[in-house]
Amino acid sequence: MTVAPLTRDQLLGHAAELFAERGFHKVTVREISDGVGANVAAVNYHFGDKLGLYREIVEGNIALMEETMQKAMDAGRGGDADGQLRAFIEVFVERLLTPRDGNQIQRLMMREMENPTPMLDVIVERVMEPRMRYLCDVIGRLLGRPSDDRVVRNCAASVHAQCIMCKRTPALVRMNIGFDDDGDAAALADHIAEFSLGAMASMVGKTMAQREARGGREVGSAKSSLKAAASA
Amino acid sequence: MTVAPLTRDQLLGHAAELFAERGFHKVTVREISDGVGANVAAVNYHFGDKLGLYREIVEGNIALMEETMQKAMDAGRGGDADGQLRAFIEVFVERLLTPRDGNQIQRLMMREMENPTPMLDVIVERVMEPRMRYLCDVIGRLLGRPSDDRVVRNCAASVHAQCIMCKRTPALVRMNIGFDDDGDAAALADHIAEFSLGAMASMVGKTMAQREARGGREVGSAKSSLKAAASA
Amino acid sequence: MTVAPLTRDQLLGHAAELFAERGFHKVTVREISDGVGANVAAVNYHFGDKLGLYREIVEGNIALMEETMQKAMDAGRGGDADGQLRAFIEVFVERLLTPRDGNQIQRLMMREMENPTPMLDVIVERVMEPRMRYLCDVIGRLLGRPSDDRVVRNCAASVHAQCIMCKRTPALVRMNIGFDDDGDAAALADHIAEFSLGAMASMVGKTMAQREARGGREVGSAKSSLKAAASA
Amino acid sequence: MTVAPLTRDQLLGHAAELFAERGFHKVTVREISDGVGANVAAVNYHFGDKLGLYREIVEGNIALMEETMQKAMDAGRGGDADGQLRAFIEVFVERLLTPRDGNQIQRLMMREMENPTPMLDVIVERVMEPRMRYLCDVIGRLLGRPSDDRVVRNCAASVHAQCIMCKRTPALVRMNIGFDDDGDAAALADHIAEFSLGAMASMVGKTMAQREARGGREVGSAKSSLKAAASA
DNA sequence: AATGAATGAGCCTTCATTCAT
DNA sequence: GATGAATGAAGGCTCATTCAT
């Protein structure tokens, strides 16, 4: 026998969608409670206050996110850096563009970037930093440089900047500065991957050419898959 | 002999800073007026309403911006597309990072992206569209494709995304997903230019390789400076 | 056991009195809420906004009014036009002069005539138009003319103007231009009925005299009860 | 040589029109001053405050009114009461409907009836009371009764009510309870005069019939022109 | 004689929160 | 476990008035 979904869970579900869509500040508790046929006081009753509800949603999403991230890293394990970066971009972009019940973390993060809340710190610690660490790790291997290298960090930022721009916020749409708007996440991911891998291949090529021009020679350190490709 | 700064100008100055810092919606008229020791009604008296004050600030900034854009385009005139793109990125990034009294347009635009106001339309028309048109034009010549080509637009978006990310908003700083933070605009611009030009050179190279593989042959149309370099 | 009157009902009651007394625009929500010891936001909570509260009051009154009008028409049914007009005037004037708890429609309508609100349209549709239709119908039969005849409409306006003037607004009282102020609704109604029926009888008589002078002859059409009386 | 009209006079003229159109409370001092290209403070400078300006306008109009009233009374002098009443109604209605530069008293009085100001007392004393006195005097002679007779007062009120209704306020128009709307002041005045004289003739006739029925006889007192006509 | 600038009181509305049941 | 009712703080705006020049 099925029980009616508890108000608490309904609130969580409905609020999650609203927060993901418009951000913490632009959603009123009345909207949330009305949306599930509950009383205004329901939010405070179940979650202490509006932020408490938001916190629970964010934390739930973070947990999901951590699993996903782990899976993504596992999936890439064993492959080359090139494939790992492509995979990362594909997953990221797809998540950003495709609404999924119970997983709004990517959109929530976009909203946090626009209008931060106290939850941002948690998000940074448990989502952004692991992600950037992974991204830098992959790119480091791509470029044959340490993952805390300045160039690596900048390339990671370049890649990340493009991914973020995939999320079409109202302002971005009106500004018409985004990517081609055919709603095809795969095509978008492909462009970003091509663009970024091409950029980094070119960087590695130049570095090599410069070094070779200086009579230099590859000296150990990390092996670069792009260098390998470039020298092939 | 200098006169005490008029309330109107004080309001403009103070409000401009507040708006640039937090965006239109997160600033109250009381904050603005109190900040210069004026009455709440002062804003209404001088500017009709809050939006009128904001409009005047934005429009002043847009005018400055248009001059700058013109200058940037003039600077590139005569050079090749490669140089023009570099110049554009340099100017853009420099503006974004260097605070200038009475010129908050870049920050205001970031705030508009986060939380749009009715002024966004004007900004789009007079700032974003000319900028993107120019960017697509330059990149079109770089890639040897028409400026309204899909690939061109996507590359322009990739370049633009990176530029925007240079602006360190409070959230971006806390998220630690931005470029290396040494405050050196030139170095940042250089990274973005290298990254982007490398990406596009690689794209052109691939295209050529594909065409050559298909026994194709360069057939006129626009000449690509990157293609020229790639085939050299 | 009686419960303490709910704030909502208190607000309705107090506001109704204030609105009837001074009109929508001259009453503030603070006055309303303070008057029943409630918070300013109470009005918004219970009725959405000030107009929502007003709407509820007006609509309640209109409903009562419709019943009354129906009753007045029923009362006249079967009688001749003369009697119907008398009945109408009596009921109307009595309503206008006698304050009734929870029925402020007559006063509210006076206020709407002075300072219209968006509710006027509803009042017109559901109160004024039915009333004037009925009045024109009765007078049309009195005069032996179609109810949309110009003369009929003007006579209806003359009758209605006198009825309205029975309502002693503060300004009217100070101006001392109203009817004799002994508070006797029946006497007032009698005067208006005498005056108006006399006027119309005279009109019919003249018409007849004119027609007869022209050698004309009564040719059917609607039968006029006043004509019948005049020729008797 | 002509001098530029003084600000003071411009303010008087413009404000008079605005006040006549919408009433004291619905006109802002800014509107008044802007309308003549003057500063907001001009009103207070020249007239002390908004009410001071209004007072001056009202008093000027009252003075004009008194002259006019005097003239109207003079004009009627010598004629019979019937003609005097017709003349009164014609002048009154025509004044109400026809805007005249520098004579807005009728419209101002309508506005005072809707939304009284402190000036109402003066208007009552110097305009309303003399007018009603004259009206009662004329009607008294018409009916052959003393001018302070209850019936006379009521008839005066009936006449006056109809005249007032000629002024088409926004609410009256929407309510569709006014006279036929062809903007012809003369026709309107004619209807009201016919209606009212007919009404009073009928009253006199009845009175006579009643008295005669009681075997009564005309015993001196005021002579009634209508009675004369009725007995002819 | 007149004005630009500025003020203060007041209004309606919004929203997260709290309280008593 | 949940709610209807009510609150208080705050926000944008209007308008007659005042002040210094």
Side-chain angles (χ1 to χ4, degrees):
Chain A
M1 98 188 186
T2 56
V3 294
L6 298 177
T7 297
R8 189 173 205 283
D9 293 337
Q10 287 183 292
L11 286 172
L12 279 171
H14 186 53
E17 194 44 46
L18 291 175
F19 284 144
E21 198 57 42
R22 303 209 301 271
F24 179 77
H25 302 287
K26 288 177 189 154
V27 175
T28 70
V29 298
R30 240 193 187 80
E31 234 175 329
I32 296 170
S33 45
D34 285 3
V36 302
N39 187 274
V40 220
V43 167
N44 285 63
Y45 174 70
H46 286 289
F47 307 97
D49 60 11
K50 187 186 173 188
L51 187 60
L53 167 56
Y54 185 67
R55 176 180 300 118
E56 195 151 326
I57 289 168
V58 169
E59 278 169 354
N61 272 285
I62 286 179
L64 283 174
M65 180 63 189
E66 286 178 325
E67 289 174 33
T68 305
M69 188 72 200
Q70 194 56 46
K71 230 179 289 178
M73 286 160 67
D74 290 349
R77 203 182 311 286
D80 60 358
D82 183 286
Q84 288 175 342
L85 185 61
R86 278 184 191 277
F88 172 87
I89 292 172
E90 272 163 26
V91 171
F92 195 178
V93 170
E94 199 270 340
R95 283 286 156 98
L96 220 37
L97 294 187
T98 315
R100 251 186 206 72
D101 264 7
N103 186 353
Q104 299 90 356
I105 187 66
Q106 306 292 358
R107 288 188 289 156
L108 287 172
M109 275 167 28
M110 292 301 295
R111 300 293 155 266
E112 286 285 343
M113 288 180 57
E114 293 166 354
N115 303 100
T117 75
M119 288 306 291
L120 180 53
D121 290 329
V122 183
I123 292 177
V124 168
E125 188 187 336
R126 291 177 50 198
V127 177
M128 305 309 296
E129 286 181 353
R131 175 198 292 168
M132 288 308 283
R133 242 191 322 271
Y134 178 69
L135 195 51
C136 285
D137 175 57
V138 171
I139 290 177
R141 277 180 284 120
L142 264 176
L143 295 180
R145 287 164 172 272
S147 67
D148 61 351
D149 181 85
R150 193 196 130 122
V151 173
V152 170
R153 266 211 66 80
N154 278 348
C155 286
S158 286
V159 171
H160 197 251
Q162 294 174 79
C163 292
I164 281 177
M165 202 59 54
C166 289
K167 181 65 199 171
R168 234 170 284 287
T169 69
L172 277 183
V173 170
R174 276 163 74 190
M175 286 186 154
N176 196 26
I177 58 176
F179 292 106
D180 201 72
D181 176 9
D182 58 5
D184 182 351
L188 233 60
D190 199 54
H191 162 76
I192 296 174
E194 282 306 311
F195 191 94
S196 302
L197 286 169
M200 290 185 285
S202 158
M203 280 177 159
V204 170
K206 273 194 190 166
T207 306
M208 284 178 56
Q210 286 166 3
R211 293 192 180 178
E212 281 166 4
R214 278 179 285 146
R217 206 196 310 186
E218 279 299 324
V219 273
S221 84
K223 201 164 67 180
S224 157
S225 46
L226 285 174
K227 269 185 241 176
S231 56
Chain B
M1 101 186 187
T2 55
V3 294
L6 299 176
T7 297
R8 187 174 204 281
D9 293 336
Q10 287 184 291
L11 287 172
L12 276 172
H14 187 51
E17 194 45 46
L18 291 174
F19 285 143
E21 197 60 42
R22 304 210 299 272
F24 180 76
H25 301 288
K26 287 176 191 154
V27 175
T28 73
V29 301
R30 273 186 175 81
E31 214 175 345
I32 297 170
S33 45
D34 286 1
V36 303
N39 186 278
V40 214
V43 166
N44 181 266
Y45 170 70
H46 286 290
F47 307 98
D49 60 9
K50 187 186 171 187
L51 189 60
L53 167 55
Y54 185 66
R55 177 181 298 119
E56 193 152 326
I57 290 170
V58 169
E59 277 169 355
N61 272 287
I62 285 180
L64 287 174
M65 181 63 189
E66 287 179 323
E67 290 174 31
T68 304
M69 186 71 200
Q70 194 56 48
K71 230 180 286 177
M73 286 162 68
D74 290 348
R77 204 183 306 286
D80 60 358
D82 183 286
Q84 288 175 343
L85 185 61
R86 278 185 190 277
F88 172 87
I89 293 171
E90 273 163 25
V91 171
F92 194 0
V93 170
E94 198 271 340
R95 283 289 154 114
L96 226 34
L97 293 188
T98 314
R100 264 183 193 72
D101 260 9
N103 186 350
Q104 299 90 357
I105 186 66
Q106 307 291 358
R107 283 190 289 159
L108 288 173
M109 274 168 28
M110 294 302 292
R111 299 295 156 268
E112 286 285 344
M113 287 180 55
E114 294 164 354
N115 304 97
T117 76
M119 286 307 291
L120 180 53
D121 290 328
V122 183
I123 293 177
V124 167
E125 188 187 338
R126 289 175 55 194
V127 176
M128 306 310 294
E129 286 182 353
R131 176 197 290 169
M132 289 308 283
R133 242 193 320 271
Y134 179 69
L135 196 51
C136 285
D137 175 60
V138 171
I139 289 178
R141 277 181 283 119
L142 265 175
L143 296 180
R145 289 164 171 270
S147 65
D148 60 351
D149 181 86
R150 195 197 133 120
V151 174
V152 170
R153 268 212 62 80
N154 278 346
C155 287
S158 285
V159 171
H160 197 251
Q162 295 174 79
C163 292
I164 281 178
M165 203 57 55
C166 290
K167 184 68 206 172
R168 238 168 283 285
T169 70
L172 276 184
V173 170
R174 277 164 72 191
M175 286 187 153
N176 196 27
I177 57 174
F179 293 105
D180 202 71
D181 181 11
D182 60 4
D184 183 349
L188 230 61
D190 200 53
H191 162 75
I192 295 174
E194 282 307 312
F195 191 94
S196 302
L197 285 168
M200 290 186 283
S202 157
M203 280 177 160
V204 171
K206 275 194 188 165
T207 305
M208 282 178 58
Q210 286 167 0
R211 292 190 183 178
E212 282 167 2
R214 277 178 288 150
R217 209 207 293 198
E218 280 299 324
V219 272
S221 85
K223 203 165 64 178
S224 156
S225 46
L226 285 174
K227 270 184 238 178
S231 57
Chain C
M1 98 189 189
T2 57
V3 294
L6 298 177
T7 298
R8 187 175 204 283
D9 293 336
Q10 287 183 293
L11 286 172
L12 276 172
H14 186 52
E17 195 44 47
L18 291 174
F19 284 144
E21 197 59 42
R22 303 210 302 272
F24 179 76
H25 302 287
K26 287 176 190 154
V27 176
T28 73
V29 300
R30 268 189 177 79
E31 217 174 343
I32 297 170
S33 45
D34 286 1
V36 301
N39 186 278
V40 214
V43 167
N44 181 267
Y45 170 70
H46 287 290
F47 308 97
D49 59 10
K50 187 186 171 187
L51 188 59
L53 168 55
Y54 184 68
R55 177 180 299 118
E56 193 153 325
I57 290 169
V58 169
E59 277 169 355
N61 272 286
I62 285 180
L64 287 175
M65 180 64 188
E66 286 178 324
E67 290 174 33
T68 305
M69 186 72 200
Q70 195 56 47
K71 229 179 288 177
M73 286 161 67
D74 290 348
R77 205 183 306 285
D80 60 358
D82 184 286
Q84 288 175 343
L85 186 61
R86 278 184 191 278
F88 172 86
I89 293 172
E90 272 163 27
V91 171
F92 194 178
V93 170
E94 197 271 340
R95 282 290 154 113
L96 226 33
L97 293 188
T98 315
R100 265 183 193 73
D101 259 10
N103 185 351
Q104 299 90 358
I105 186 68
Q106 306 292 358
R107 284 189 290 158
L108 288 173
M109 273 169 28
M110 294 303 291
R111 299 294 156 269
E112 286 285 343
M113 287 181 57
E114 295 165 353
N115 303 99
T117 76
M119 286 308 289
L120 180 51
D121 291 328
V122 183
I123 293 176
V124 167
E125 188 187 338
R126 289 177 52 195
V127 176
M128 306 310 294
E129 285 181 353
R131 177 197 292 169
M132 289 307 284
R133 240 190 324 269
Y134 180 69
L135 196 50
C136 286
D137 175 59
V138 171
I139 290 177
R141 277 181 284 121
L142 266 176
L143 296 180
R145 289 164 170 272
S147 65
D148 60 351
D149 182 86
R150 195 196 132 120
V151 173
V152 170
R153 267 213 63 80
N154 278 347
C155 287
S158 284
V159 172
H160 197 251
Q162 295 173 78
C163 291
I164 281 178
M165 202 59 53
C166 291
K167 184 68 206 171
R168 238 170 281 286
T169 70
L172 277 184
V173 170
R174 277 163 73 192
M175 286 186 154
N176 196 27
I177 58 174
F179 293 106
D180 202 72
D181 181 11
D182 58 5
D184 183 348
L188 230 60
D190 199 53
H191 160 75
I192 295 175
E194 282 307 312
F195 191 94
S196 303
L197 285 168
M200 290 186 284
S202 158
M203 281 178 159
V204 170
K206 273 195 191 165
T207 306
M208 284 178 56
Q210 286 167 2
R211 293 193 181 177
E212 283 166 5
R214 277 178 289 149
R217 207 201 303 194
E218 279 299 324
V219 275
S221 83
K223 203 165 65 178
S224 157
S225 47
L226 285 174
K227 270 184 237 174
S231 57
Chain D
M1 99 186 185
T2 57
V3 294
L6 298 177
T7 297
R8 189 174 204 284
D9 293 337
Q10 286 183 293
L11 286 172
L12 279 172
H14 186 53
E17 194 45 47
L18 291 175
F19 285 143
E21 198 57 42
R22 303 209 301 271
F24 179 76
H25 298 102
K26 287 177 189 152
V27 175
T28 70
V29 299
R30 241 194 186 78
E31 233 176 329
I32 297 170
S33 46
D34 285 3
V36 303
N39 188 274
V40 219
V43 167
N44 284 64
Y45 174 71
H46 286 290
F47 306 97
D49 59 10
K50 187 186 173 188
L51 187 59
L53 167 55
Y54 185 68
R55 176 180 300 117
E56 197 152 323
I57 289 168
V58 169
E59 278 168 355
N61 271 286
I62 286 179
L64 284 174
M65 181 63 189
E66 286 177 325
E67 289 174 33
T68 305
M69 188 72 200
Q70 194 56 47
K71 229 179 288 176
M73 287 161 68
D74 291 348
R77 202 182 310 286
D80 60 358
D82 183 287
Q84 288 174 343
L85 185 62
R86 278 184 190 278
F88 173 87
I89 292 172
E90 271 163 27
V91 171
F92 194 0
V93 170
E94 199 270 341
R95 283 287 155 98
L96 219 38
L97 294 188
T98 315
R100 251 186 205 73
D101 264 7
N103 186 352
Q104 299 89 358
I105 186 67
Q106 307 291 359
R107 287 188 289 156
L108 286 173
M109 276 168 26
M110 292 300 295
R111 300 293 156 267
E112 285 285 343
M113 287 180 56
E114 294 166 353
N115 303 99
T117 74
M119 288 306 292
L120 180 53
D121 291 329
V122 183
I123 292 177
V124 167
E125 187 187 339
R126 291 178 50 198
V127 177
M128 306 308 294
E129 286 181 353
R131 176 198 291 170
M132 289 308 283
R133 243 191 321 270
Y134 179 68
L135 195 51
C136 287
D137 175 59
V138 172
I139 289 176
R141 277 181 283 119
L142 264 176
L143 295 179
R145 287 163 172 272
S147 66
D148 60 351
D149 181 85
R150 192 197 133 119
V151 173
V152 170
R153 265 211 65 79
N154 278 347
C155 286
S158 285
V159 172
H160 197 251
Q162 295 174 80
C163 291
I164 282 178
M165 203 57 54
C166 289
K167 181 66 200 170
R168 234 169 286 287
T169 70
L172 276 184
V173 171
R174 276 163 73 191
M175 286 186 155
N176 198 26
I177 58 174
F179 293 106
D180 202 74
D181 175 9
D182 59 4
D184 183 349
L188 232 61
D190 200 52
H191 162 77
I192 296 174
E194 284 307 312
F195 191 94
S196 303
L197 286 169
M200 290 185 284
S202 157
M203 280 178 159
V204 171
K206 276 197 188 162
T207 306
M208 284 178 57
Q210 286 166 1
R211 294 191 181 179
E212 282 167 4
R214 277 178 286 146
R217 206 198 310 186
E218 278 299 323
V219 273
S221 85
K223 201 166 66 180
S224 157
S225 47
L226 284 175
K227 270 185 241 177
S231 55

